[in-house]
Amino acid sequence: MKSQFETLIFWMKRRQARKLRDTTGFANSLAGEESTRPNGFLSDSSAMKSLDPLAGVSVFLKVAETLNFSRAAEQLGMSKATVSVQLQELEKRLGVRLVQRNTRSVALTEAGDTYRQSLGDLLGQVNEAEINAKALQDGTSGQIRLSVSPDLGQRYLSGAVADFSQLYPEIDIFMDFSLEPVDLVERGMDLAVRSTIANEQSLIVRRLATTSLVVCASPGYLRGRHDIVVPTDLLDHRLLHFSPLRWGREWHFQKSEQHEKVSIPPRIEANDSIGLKEAAIRGAGITLLPRYLVTDELRNGQLVEILEDWVTAKLEINAVFPANRHISAKVKALVAHLSKALRHAFEPL
């Protein structure tokens, strides 16, 4: 029986020989056809399906080095499509995502970075590297990078994450508090939890909870002013607008079959809902904010709900992932934990 070293040398010689031949087999393999080359050499697609551990690994290492598919393809002397196919085959074999990519950026996943480091001694460490990568996928250890909006993060998610950390002491969590949706791949984030998301086709969205929006103001602001009976009465008041709302400067209302859209001229406009809440408490005007953010203030009388018999829009709280069929076990565990915590705090799905 050949030793591992002899087997690897054999594959290296075959790989070197293939480079000397024409590349007509690439087109057939990419089209799903299995072509046979002279002297019994298989197409790249067939080689990937065989026991050859080198083609996909070398492509992965070059992509990890350049973080650019086009540059990796150029340096390897193959097409960008071939690089993509070989990397996908390697990820399929491992059952783990090594690289996150969208139209703007390429980045290694945590499993991908661990795999790259383990491949320092390429020929001797291939098997061990695969085991390490799979362990990160299947186990509940390592790091989770989580992006959250400050209003959700400070009020609800920080406590839930602290509880999760007690349940899973082998998992480290990095929390990024950001007002704006972030590029998850570029920032190396495993997931985000937000009420607003970027318009990206390369994202997977899972709804965790829903909440309504509420129109409210301080008792001091409302004192001595005319009652607000219908949504258009708002136009006679100072309005504080939360700019990330997807409808822009329109507040939407419904009562039975009656629908109202109020185009509002904001006196104060901000992308920070916590800041707008503080402005409303201080009597600066009327605001429209997620109910979860003002629950305590409505209860203790610092804020008063307006137009209670009119229904405002629902706001979804979502977990957002980079498009990935291999979401790690630790991320799945965190999402399940956060979903349970938010369902207790918010309205039912």
Side-chain angles (χ1 to χ4, degrees):
M1 182 179 293
K2 290 183 179 180
S3 67
Q4 183 184 32
F5 178 79
E6 290 173 327
T7 301
L8 291 170
I9 291 299
F10 167 75
W11 282 114
M12 289 178 70
K13 288 181 178 179
R14 288 193 64 170
R15 182 174 176 79
Q16 188 173 25
R18 284 203 303 271
K19 289 183 178 180
L20 299 177
R21 300 186 179 275
D22 63 77
T23 58
T24 56
F26 281 114
N28 290 335
S29 66
L30 292 175
E33 300 173 10
E34 182 172 294
S35 63
T36 304
R37 300 188 178 182
N39 298 326
F41 285 105
L42 299 176
S43 69
D44 289 86
S45 178
S46 298
M48 195 63 207
K49 293 176 183 177
S50 71
L51 299 177
D52 183 0
L54 298 177
V57 172
S58 60
V59 164
F60 164 71
L61 287 174
K62 186 58 65 176
V63 170
E65 176 187 341
T66 62
L67 294 180
N68 186 292
F69 275 60
S70 297
R71 197 173 303 129
E74 181 181 356
Q75 294 181 16
L76 290 168
M78 59 179 63
S79 70
K80 182 179 176 181
T82 302
V83 168
S84 181
V85 167
Q86 291 196 8
L87 183 57
Q88 289 174 10
E89 288 291 339
L90 178 61
E91 290 178 324
K92 183 178 179 181
R93 191 178 84 218
L94 296 178
V96 62
R97 192 78 161 187
L98 300 173
V99 176
Q100 294 287 8
R101 56 271 207 191
N102 60 24
T103 56
R104 297 191 299 273
S105 58
V106 176
L108 296 181
T109 64
E110 184 184 4
D113 189 55
T114 298
Y115 192 49
R116 178 188 59 80
Q117 294 180 41
S118 300
L119 290 171
D121 178 12
L122 173 60
L123 299 183
Q125 298 296 326
V126 169
N127 292 332
E128 182 179 348
E130 292 184 0
I131 293 172
N132 289 340
K134 289 179 179 179
L136 275 173
Q137 175 68 14
D138 299 332
T140 51
S141 63
Q143 185 186 65
I144 299 175
R145 293 175 60 84
L146 168 66
S147 175
V148 297
S149 56
D151 54 357
L152 276 171
Q154 294 173 17
R155 188 175 182 86
Y156 293 102
L157 299 184
S158 292
V161 167
D163 294 340
F164 178 82
S165 183
Q166 296 291 323
L167 294 172
Y168 297 92
E170 299 301 316
I171 298 177
D172 301 324
I173 299 179
F174 172 82
M175 296 182 69
D176 173 67
F177 291 84
S178 175
L179 290 171
E180 299 295 334
V182 301
D183 186 318
L184 299 183
V185 173
E186 184 177 321
R187 296 284 293 275
M189 295 293 165
D190 295 296
L191 77 154
V193 177
R194 294 187 173 277
S195 56
T196 56
I197 62 173
N199 185 24
E200 274 282 344
Q201 293 183 347
S202 57
L203 296 177
I204 297 173
V205 179
R206 175 185 169 186
R207 183 158 55 108
L208 300 180
T210 59
T211 184
S212 61
L213 294 168
V214 57
V215 183
C216 57
S218 70
Y221 174 83
L222 296 173
R223 191 176 299 117
R225 288 183 165 86
H226 295 297
D227 291 341
I228 301 170
V229 180
V230 295
T232 52
D233 290 339
L234 293 169
L235 296 174
D236 297 326
H237 291 266
R238 297 165 57 98
L239 302 178
L240 317 178
H241 181 59
F242 183 44
S243 60
L245 290 178
R246 67 178 181 270
W247 313 281
R249 292 179 175 179
E250 282 188 345
W251 292 3
H252 292 228
F253 300 89
Q254 181 178 350
K255 184 178 182 181
S256 299
E257 298 302 316
Q258 187 177 358
H259 296 264
E260 293 281 352
K261 291 191 298 185
V262 180
S263 297
I264 58 111
R267 186 61 61 91
I268 299 177
E269 184 171 13
N271 65 350
D272 180 10
S273 57
I274 296 175
L276 284 180
K277 180 180 72 171
E278 291 304 316
I281 290 173
R282 291 174 176 270
I286 299 173
T287 190
L288 177 69
L289 291 174
R291 185 173 293 276
Y292 69 78
L293 187 65
V294 295
T295 299
D296 291 343
E297 289 74 17
L298 292 173
R299 187 180 296 117
N300 63 30
Q302 286 182 288
L303 293 174
V304 176
E305 186 171 356
I306 301 166
L307 297 172
E308 293 184 70
D309 54 344
W310 288 81
V311 177
T312 59
K314 296 289 184 180
L315 198 63
E316 293 185 357
I317 310 301
N318 297 302
V320 187
F321 314 86
N324 185 349
R325 291 176 298 175
H326 306 297
I327 300 171
S328 67
K330 59 180 178 286
V331 171
K332 290 179 181 178
L334 177 59
V335 170
H337 180 82
L338 295 179
S339 178
K340 182 178 179 180
L342 290 175
R343 277 200 296 268
H344 281 300
F346 291 9
E347 299 165 1
L349 294 175

